Amino acid sequence: QAEILHQMMITSAKLGKIPDAVKDFQNLRTRLTSSPALQESARARYTLATALNSLVAFRLPTAVEPRNRIRNPLFNRTSSAVEPPNPALRQRLQRESDSNNEALSILKQLITEQPSSVAYRLALAEATKDSARIAQLSREWRQADEAIEAAIRLVDELHQEFPESDRFKFDLAE
């Protein structure tokens, strides 16, 4: 059921229905935290972490997306590298940072328990990439650089282990 709710959340977000995606996530979290057995399950914790990752990725503004230019041409204005984000964006980024930190914490714990899991390690790389985006939007340049370097290291390690995988090559190129 949790995985179905996660897919519903992703579908809602892709359709631009972020409030519906947030409700799906809240239902997912409620289901996963309602049972102590589920809370301890690696699969349930992984589902929660990937749902958090998905939600963060969908809610973060991305200036380079063509659809953002169409919706709001001023969105892409060039701002000073030191100009702080406006208060509304700062509050939004804090919420995303909190969700991202929760996902990072869950994934690091899962990797401690099962270090060979490719899925956990790839999800950690994705969450770390989101962490870099949050830091960039917050104008925290050193933190952004550190996060993107860490994400690259994680994907590069996977690529070294699985050189035939096009997925890791693509992620490194991205």
Side-chain angles (χ1 to χ4, degrees), residues 83-102:
E83 179 183 318
N86 67 54
L89 179 58
R90 194 173 30 240
Q91 183 180 20
R92 183 173 166 191
L93 290 172
Q94 184 59 54
R95 183 182 64 230
E96 300 313 327
S97 180
D98 292 346
S99 295
N100 181 255
N101 288 334
E102 183 180 357

Side-chain angles (χ1 to χ4, degrees), residues 103-141:
L104 288 167
S105 176
I106 293 168
L107 291 164
K108 286 175 183 176
Q109 180 61 40
L110 288 169
I111 290 170
T112 300
E113 295 168 13
Q114 199 173 16
S116 63
S117 172
V118 174
Y120 296 168
R121 292 163 59 199
L122 186 57
L124 179 62
E126 292 295 324
T128 304
K129 232 181 351 180
D130 287 339
S131 170
R133 287 178 60 206
I134 293 166
Q136 286 174 330
L137 291 165
S138 300
R139 311 284 197 279
E140 296 171 5
W141 306 116

Side-chain angles (χ1 to χ4, degrees), residues 5-30:
L5 285 169
H6 185 207
Q7 289 304 314
M8 288 172 53
M9 182 192 89
I10 290 171
T11 301
S12 294
K14 285 183 177 181
L15 292 172
K17 298 177 180 179
I18 300 299
D20 290 344
V22 171
K23 285 179 190 170
D24 291 335
F25 172 75
Q26 290 167 341
N27 289 337
L28 170 69
R29 182 189 285 277
T30 300

